[in-house]
Amino acid sequence: MSSTRSPANEWPPSKGALELASPTSIRARGWCQGSVLSARLTALIHEGADDFVAIVVSHDCDVVNSRFEVEAQIEVQLATVVEVANGNFLRGKNPRTIQLKVDGGSVLEAEAGKRHLIDRRLLALDDPAWALGGREVQELTRWLAARYIRSAFPDAFNERIRPALKQVAKLAQKEGQHISGIYFLISTDELEDELDYDIQVRATIEVEDYEQLAIRTKCNKALDGIVAAINGCEGINVYDHEAVSEEDFSLDDLRLMKRWDWDHVSLKPDPVHAIAPSR
């Protein structure tokens, strides 16, 4: 019996092994959006693979495409396991960092800048280690997409609200873990100093959370504190605020109101974290 190894069994894969890779093997191995790379695959794209979880974020159709010349690469997001969840990072609230609670109680933390493109043929040569659940995949991909479609607010408004940001971040971290989004109905004009920005505020809560009185009460407490901090800023007037179920936050509300993302207005070296979630 020959002891010569087949190109398909070589690791790291040789050029010959990659040339023999078949797109059908990718589907057969079960790769999809949300699949987690094995440690040996992760090691090919990042040193210290044992410290990272590499998650496929390319769309399912791209992952299993039948032609490598059409989809030569797939995108993966690196994440690490953290011990403590941070309310500012859960549910896609921060545009640069996200935390995901996965099965077993672990918390994954990913930074937007830690994404890589890898040769899609590699997936034909190895199995996924495990996969995120559907909800976590949705949170992660919406968070990535939201980086390109975030709402912009007037510069004058951003400057006026800046003094409240640290307090808002503390409240969001401590009390607002179950708030899925904060939205403003606000003028898009650059107002003169003598004019106030009159704002209507809505905080959204996922349906299953909203139905639990204890969670709903905690979210209302957080929102009251956030609104108080905002109202303490000169030239800002919140005339109406309410925490609502996502079931009661309509498409019309989403069209009229703007998701608040304050991370980009901080000029300090230690930026304040955003509460704005992905849609």
Side-chain angles (χ1 to χ4, degrees):
M1 180 180 295
S2 173
S3 60
T4 303
R5 300 182 65 189
S6 163
N9 295 324
E10 295 177 357
W11 205 268
S14 66
K15 180 179 178 181
L18 290 174
E19 290 175 348
L20 292 173
S22 168
T24 58
S25 296
I26 296 177
R27 185 185 295 273
R29 289 180 182 273
W31 285 100
C32 61
Q33 189 178 63
S35 293
V36 174
L37 273 60
S38 66
R40 66 177 188 171
L41 259 183
T42 304
L44 296 180
I45 63 172
H46 198 284
E47 295 181 0
D50 291 343
D51 298 324
F52 289 92
V53 175
I55 306 163
V56 174
V57 293
S58 293
H59 192 276
D60 286 345
C61 295
D62 301 330
V63 174
V64 300
N65 190 282
S66 61
R67 298 171 60 194
F68 285 128
E69 61 268 29
V70 173
E71 293 290 344
Q73 298 177 308
I74 55 113
E75 186 174 21
V76 299
Q77 171 71 57
L78 291 181
T80 56
V81 178
V82 296
E83 295 182 359
V84 180
N86 182 326
N88 284 299
F89 297 154
L90 293 172
R91 302 172 190 267
K93 294 172 186 173
N94 186 287
R96 292 172 176 80
T97 303
I98 188 173
Q99 289 185 350
L100 302 168
K101 292 184 177 180
V102 297
D103 291 344
S106 298
V107 179
L108 295 181
E109 181 174 297
E111 297 178 6
K114 292 183 178 179
R115 301 200 305 277
H116 294 267
L117 292 173
I118 67 170
D119 191 328
R120 189 166 67 96
R121 294 176 297 178
L122 290 169
L123 302 188
L125 306 178
D126 203 14
D127 293 329
W130 53 284
L132 298 184
R135 177 169 176 166
E136 290 74 40
V137 171
Q138 185 179 69
E139 283 189 17
L140 179 59
T141 53
R142 286 185 175 181
W143 169 72
L144 289 169
R147 287 181 52 80
Y148 301 95
I149 56 174
R150 281 181 279 166
S151 299
F153 290 87
D155 291 339
F157 168 78
N158 288 336
E159 288 302 316
R160 293 183 194 186
I161 212 166
R162 191 186 304 278
L165 298 187
K166 282 189 175 181
Q167 179 63 18
V168 171
K170 290 178 181 178
L171 289 165
Q173 180 175 358
K174 184 179 179 181
E175 304 287 350
Q177 292 193 18
H178 294 282
I179 293 177
S180 61
I182 288 185
Y183 298 85
F184 289 169
L185 181 62
I186 180 177
S187 169
T188 59
D189 295 335
E190 298 285 355
L191 299 183
E192 300 296 331
D193 291 343
E194 63 272 15
L195 298 176
D196 288 348
Y197 278 100
D198 294 319
I199 307 170
Q200 184 182 77
V201 179
R202 292 290 180 266
T204 55
I205 307 170
E206 292 185 2
V207 176
E208 58 269 31
D209 289 337
Y210 188 84
E211 292 174 348
Q212 300 183 49
L213 178 59
I215 292 178
R216 190 165 71 247
T217 300
K218 191 172 185 179
C219 290
N220 274 299
K221 180 180 177 181
L223 179 61
D224 289 343
I226 289 170
V227 168
I230 294 171
N231 262 335
C233 298
E234 186 175 353
I236 302 293
N237 173 43
V238 180
Y239 64 87
D240 174 60
H241 71 279
E242 185 180 3
V244 299
S245 168
E246 288 185 349
E247 186 176 38
D248 298 322
F249 194 73
S250 68
L251 287 174
D252 192 53
D253 292 328
L254 194 59
R255 179 177 62 83
L256 294 173
M257 305 187 84
K258 302 178 73 173
R259 185 184 64 214
W260 188 31
D261 171 2
W262 69 71
D263 185 78
H264 68 286
V265 306
S266 175
L267 299 178
K268 297 182 179 180
D270 181 19
V272 177
H273 305 312
I275 195 170
S278 301
R279 293 183 181 182

